[in-house]
Amino acid sequence: MAASEPCPMPTAHKRLMDCHAMWHAMSAAYMEPDSFRMHLNSLIQGLRNVTFMVQKQKADLAGYGEWYTRFVNEVCPRPLMRWAVKSRNRIVKESDLDLLSEAKIRWVANWTTKEERKFAFPPRMSSRQMLAAIFSNPGNPRVGVVTISRRWVDKALPEYELLHATREIFIELSRLLHAGHAAAGVTSCTIDRREPGCVTPAVSVHPLGCMDINSSLRQEHVDLEDGFGIDEVEHHIRRDERLVEKAYARYGSFSVSASDPIEAAPQLLESAHRVLRKDKCHMPMMWSYRDGKIVDMISPNFVDQNGKYLMFHRLADRVETLRADGIVLVIEAWWAPDDKRDAQGLQIPPRDREDRQEVLHVAAATRAGERLSLLSPFSRSKSGEIIFGETVSGPDEELGVLGPFLPIFERWKQMDERNER
Ligand SMILES: [Zn+2]
Ligand SMILES: [Zn+2]
């Protein structure tokens, strides 16, 4: 790591870190309307102060004319940035923003039948009351799984939830300061880290994973078949070198050298084969990529079909929070090589067919639109041995395995539409 150097713009840099800390404070106060408004007001002023502080110091900043002009010409005209300036002026000179408390309801019946709607609800209304209101309309059938996400929006920016909007502005300002530091030849500067622990002096051009815009704390899930809530449980596992040694001893050593999800897929299938041979089962695993690097690895799990629908939507949430541009997923699944339809002409899911095959499915996809699935059929011998058949590969659509990935692909499309890079 490079040695720390003096910061070329310490006031602006500290203000940016203030914004990071304020964002978390605002997120933590989400369910308290007045605290939320208070933190939002501070954050919007704080974000504006970052650029004020940079401008004040312009005479001392290397390459200012170049990187600041680029910011003014390319970033400032974006609707979100203009909203930030207007909102700051309004908060300082006139009044609060016009905050609306909403619930976004996502109702998923199966991979292709789903709906998303936003409703205005008082912030303290219980989920039970919201569901009762929704299902008082007989047009909303009680099948599948429902997710209720609470959200605050400003009337002047109805398309954006406010943690999301302010995070976007924070990312743009981080990129501005990153450019300013780079022009001064500084990669790591001497500013103390703060509370919470993620508020470090590192200035990233990427969204920070700690700024979770899809936190499970603001979502509730209900399985409509049994009427019970579905709880999400997260376990965090730290890399432990002793466990890595143990894994190598058990499965043999392997490495994934590809920096691209599509190229990594065959390597991951190879390691998945070893795990399945040894353990007779394989936990679902998903690797997220950004700019050719793995930025996240999780083992998502579910217990039934509604849990599976939900899980894939939550994976899409994660892809959005991390702004991942590629994924590889390894999962055990049922598969059938052809398409059979029922009397109504609906596709019969492989899990309900008698000729279904058990497969290891490695799916790789990128935000740029590349898709690759590798399906490795396997059977179990009487003695419990795993016997692999011949691997089939191709785009998800051709293999009839597109469904589970639709939530992620749709999310990428929305990110493209909002020009989130
Ligand atoms: Zn600095
Ligand atoms: Zn953080």
Side-chain angles (χ1 to χ4, degrees):
M1 213 173 95
S4 292
E5 296 144 294
C7 180
M9 50 187 91
T11 318
H13 194 156
K14 280 184 206 160
R15 296 295 171 97
L16 184 75
M17 290 168 69
D18 290 349
C19 292
H20 182 175
M22 285 192 268
W23 190 93
H24 283 299
M26 177 169 105
S27 169
Y30 211 78
M31 300 300 174
E32 293 302 321
D34 282 316
S35 308
F36 179 78
R37 180 185 49 80
M38 178 180 81
H39 289 298
L40 174 67
N41 286 350
S42 317
L43 175 59
I44 285 176
Q45 293 174 62
L47 291 165
R48 192 77 182 100
N49 284 337
V50 175
T51 42
F52 286 152
M53 294 304 151
V54 173
Q55 288 165 359
K56 270 214 176 104
Q57 255 202 292
K58 64 179 173 192
D60 322 319
L61 295 172
Y64 177 86
E66 216 171 292
W67 52 264
Y68 201 77
T69 308
R70 201 179 320 126
F71 176 75
V72 169
N73 291 339
E74 289 171 20
V75 180
C76 294
R78 287 183 53 188
L80 258 183
M81 301 305 282
R82 295 162 65 136
W83 169 81
V85 172
K86 264 196 218 149
S87 300
R88 179 262 170 193
N89 292 342
R90 174 159 178 181
I91 289 164
V92 173
K93 296 171 191 158
E94 293 170 45
S95 68
D96 287 325
L97 302 182
D98 214 341
L99 295 184
L100 304 174
S101 151
E102 288 183 349
K104 186 166 84 179
I105 314 282
R106 184 176 58 213
W107 168 76
V108 179
N110 56 46
W111 296 123
T112 46
T113 314
K114 65 178 171 29
E115 228 183 291
E116 223 167 63
R117 262 189 268 169
K118 288 169 202 154
F119 295 86
F121 282 117
R124 290 202 183 82
M125 187 170 188
S126 75
S127 306
R128 198 159 280 278
Q129 289 167 313
M130 287 187 203
L131 284 176
I134 294 159
F135 290 106
S136 64
N137 178 347
N140 296 331
R142 284 174 181 261
V143 289
V145 57
V146 155
T147 295
I148 300 172
S149 316
R150 292 169 191 263
R151 37 191 276 141
W152 285 106
V153 296
D154 173 23
K155 219 174 174 179
L157 191 71
E159 287 311 306
Y160 278 91
E161 184 280 320
L162 284 165
L163 287 170
H164 189 152
T166 49
R167 187 177 92 139
E168 288 307 307
I169 297 156
F170 179 86
I171 293 166
E172 293 300 353
L173 295 174
S174 302
R175 288 175 178 167
L176 174 70
L177 262 56
H178 188 270
H181 280 68
V186 175
T187 46
S188 158
C189 46
T190 39
I191 291 182
D192 290 337
R193 50 195 309 141
R194 311 241 292 262
E195 286 299 316
C198 57
V199 184
T200 71
V203 181
S204 177
V205 295
H206 298 300
L208 300 175
C210 62
M211 294 170 99
D212 186 355
I213 49 175
N214 296 303
S215 167
S216 58
L217 299 174
R218 293 187 295 278
Q219 298 193 357
E220 275 171 82
H221 316 288
V222 180
D223 188 325
L224 294 173
E225 261 112 288
D226 59 18
F228 290 118
I230 301 177
D231 289 327
E232 260 184 77
V233 186
E234 272 180 49
H235 299 284
H236 295 266
I237 301 165
R238 231 176 246 264
R239 187 184 165 99
D240 177 336
E241 289 310 321
R242 278 169 311 173
L243 290 179
V244 173
E245 284 304 314
K246 268 192 167 172
Y248 284 161
R250 183 169 174 84
Y251 307 112
S253 70
F254 54 84
S255 66
V256 177
S257 54
S259 60
D260 170 279
I262 305 290
E263 286 167 27
Q267 295 179 336
L268 287 165
L269 177 62
E270 164 88 40
S271 66
H273 274 160
R274 295 199 206 179
V275 171
L276 187 62
R277 233 180 238 127
K278 201 84 188 174
D279 296 350
K280 320 297 177 205
C281 64
H282 196 296
M283 287 194 307
M285 295 286 296
M286 184 172 93
W287 290 264
S288 298
Y289 284 74
R290 192 174 56 219
D291 282 349
K293 282 198 200 97
I294 292 175
V295 291
D296 186 51
M297 186 181 95
I298 53 168
S299 173
N301 254 304
F302 53 91
V303 288
D304 56 20
Q305 193 57 32
N306 279 345
K308 191 173 178 185
Y309 294 138
L310 175 59
M311 183 191 88
F312 275 91
H313 281 275
R314 292 295 286 147
L315 291 179
D317 282 348
R318 194 159 180 104
V319 162
E320 183 183 42
T321 291
L322 297 165
R323 203 165 290 176
D325 56 21
I327 54 142
V328 187
L329 187 99
V330 179
I331 193 166
E332 274 186 55
W334 293 113
W335 182 63
D338 56 354
D339 185 6
K340 277 207 184 117
R341 305 262 155 176
D342 64 14
Q344 277 89 48
L346 295 172
Q347 189 189 34
I348 307 171
R351 63 176 182 277
D352 295 336
R353 285 171 56 166
E354 265 174 33
D355 58 349
R356 64 189 185 180
Q357 261 179 315
E358 220 173 343
V359 293
L360 250 183
H361 182 182
V362 177
T366 65
R367 185 172 168 183
E370 296 159 286
R371 313 276 182 251
L372 174 67
S373 268
L374 305 173
L375 298 174
S376 174
F378 65 90
S379 53
R380 299 165 195 271
S381 76
K382 283 216 174 77
S383 57
E385 214 90 357
I386 302 281
I387 303 151
F388 290 103
E390 204 166 317
T391 300
V392 183
S393 72
D396 308 320
E397 211 154 5
E398 274 173 31
L399 301 177
V401 292
L402 182 63
F405 304 99
L406 288 173
I408 294 173
F409 299 164
E410 276 163 20
R411 203 65 66 91
W412 272 332
K413 202 169 140 233
Q414 291 165 5
M415 288 157 68
D416 288 343
E417 283 163 1
R418 287 192 304 259
N419 201 13
E420 288 172 5
R421 292 284 153 199

